[in-house]
Amino acid sequence: MSIQAEARRVTAPEIRARKGGEPIVSLTSYHAHTAQLLDRHVDVILVGDSLGMVMHGLETTVPVTVDMMIVHGRAVVRGTKQALIVVDLPFGSYEASPVEAFHTAARILKETGAGAVKLEGGRRMAETVRFLVDRGVPVMGHVGLTPQAINTLGSFKARGRDDAEAEEILADAHAVSEAGAFSIVLEAIAEPLARRITQEVATPTIGIGGSPACDGQILVLEDMLGLAPRVPKFVKRYAELGPAIEAAVSTYAQEVRARTFPAAEHVYASRVKKVS
Ligand code: KIV
């Protein structure tokens, strides 16, 4: 079988072509095992810099490094065969110039095998998006609430609820779309604004706290599985794995203390014949 026939991964241009079509299904994942479980069900897996908070207990995404993104990005690529893997460019690794962004993005694509990168920011990042796309790096944009800017935003509250802010975010989405992004995440913005952006821009929009009208949706996996103690309003919890894990661990602890685990079926018999 030729290498071409084996290459079955979703590509950035395929996602780009889904504008107004079948909704794009996306989730985050940071490690091989969960990525493998997601792979047959989603179009896009984002190795988001939210991994800093979810996996590493950081308060914000600001301290996340390129090396952290590469370790988790590689694991997710190894665990998957089908989904398009997108890796976030972390704070401080791309904003200074388009050239810096290209070096970071190229390193991430080479060292993880991912198919695209995501970066935060609208008009201020449009030149960088164009620079990357022109040099072979597919870019997913991200506007609205941009968590890497938490220190200037001051809070994680929803954006675009008044006319002035809505116009700013609309202009951001247009700029990133026109710069060549293959999709744009719309995070935590007023629903009518997310709907309007989706109608106006030629690029598929992927909502997280956006609108059902978006061209796709994304959630942080641990949030929708019920592993996070507190979640934003836009998260639907599709399972309650937190309590399920705690119940399993509690039973295990009791059984270890009572010496009922391991039972006979969990231990190895000896091959050595008993000698008296
Ligand atoms: O880092 C992340 O997980 C993200 C999603 C919330 C879109 O950017």
Side-chain angles (χ1 to χ4, degrees):
M1 198 187 278
S2 76
I3 290 171
Q4 265 179 337
E6 279 173 19
R8 294 173 49 254
R9 269 194 200 277
V10 176
T11 64
E14 282 166 359
I15 296 298
R16 173 72 191 74
R18 296 267 287 272
K19 180 72 192 176
E22 193 195 339
I24 299 158
V25 181
S26 334
L27 280 170
T28 63
S29 172
Y30 319 123
H31 77 307
H33 190 195
T34 52
Q36 194 177 6
L37 296 172
L38 267 49
D39 196 32
R40 283 188 301 118
H41 304 280
V42 305
D43 303 301
V44 176
I45 296 179
L46 172 69
V47 185
D49 61 354
S50 53
L51 65 82
M53 297 158 90
V54 177
M55 300 290 289
H56 297 272
L58 298 169
E59 275 183 23
T60 72
T61 57
V62 171
V64 173
T65 64
V66 174
D67 288 344
M68 286 162 82
M69 298 310 302
I70 288 175
V71 167
H72 291 281
R74 258 189 211 142
V76 169
V77 170
R78 281 194 207 114
T80 54
K81 292 192 174 79
Q82 290 178 211
L84 171 65
I85 311 301
V86 181
V87 178
D88 258 337
L89 301 186
F91 177 73
S93 72
Y94 66 96
E95 301 90 332
S97 71
V99 172
E100 179 190 51
F102 180 76
H103 287 310
T104 305
R107 184 176 163 219
I108 286 179
L109 295 189
K110 279 171 187 280
E111 295 188 27
T112 64
V117 298
K118 175 165 83 59
L119 59 80
E120 294 184 8
R123 285 158 292 173
R124 69 184 167 86
M125 292 313 300
E127 186 194 349
T128 296
V129 172
R130 170 54 60 203
F131 191 88
L132 295 184
V133 174
D134 283 350
R135 286 158 183 77
V137 179
V139 178
M140 177 183 274
H142 184 156
V143 303
L145 173 62
T146 49
Q148 292 179 4
I150 183 63
N151 289 321
T152 44
L153 293 175
S155 81
F156 290 110
K157 73 176 171 52
R159 309 280 135 179
R161 299 177 96 167
D162 62 58
D163 285 349
E165 204 173 68
E167 289 304 321
E168 298 279 312
I169 296 171
L170 182 64
D172 282 341
H174 275 289
V176 172
S177 171
E178 281 151 29
F182 73 92
S183 58
I184 308 173
V185 169
L186 305 181
E187 180 165 354
I189 60 175
E191 194 278 335
L193 173 61
R195 190 175 285 273
R196 181 169 169 203
I197 292 172
T198 303
Q199 283 161 358
E200 285 191 16
V201 303
T203 305
T205 59
I206 301 186
I208 174 164
S211 165
C214 287
D215 298 294
Q217 302 294 331
I218 186 163
L219 285 174
V220 170
L221 182 67
E222 285 74 3
D223 288 350
M224 61 89 85
L225 292 180
L227 282 166
R230 279 177 300 112
V231 289
K233 172 189 166 73
F234 55 72
V235 175
K236 176 173 175 184
R237 292 167 83 114
Y238 285 84
E240 287 299 338
L241 294 196
I245 290 175
E246 218 182 320
V249 171
S250 160
T251 306
Y252 166 75
Q254 283 166 28
E255 292 188 1
V256 169
R257 291 189 180 111
R259 296 194 188 282
T260 55
F261 177 83
E265 66 268 32
H266 306 122
V267 296
Y268 296 99
S270 170
R271 289 204 186 97
V272 178
K273 288 211 177 78
K274 239 189 184 163
V275 278
S276 54

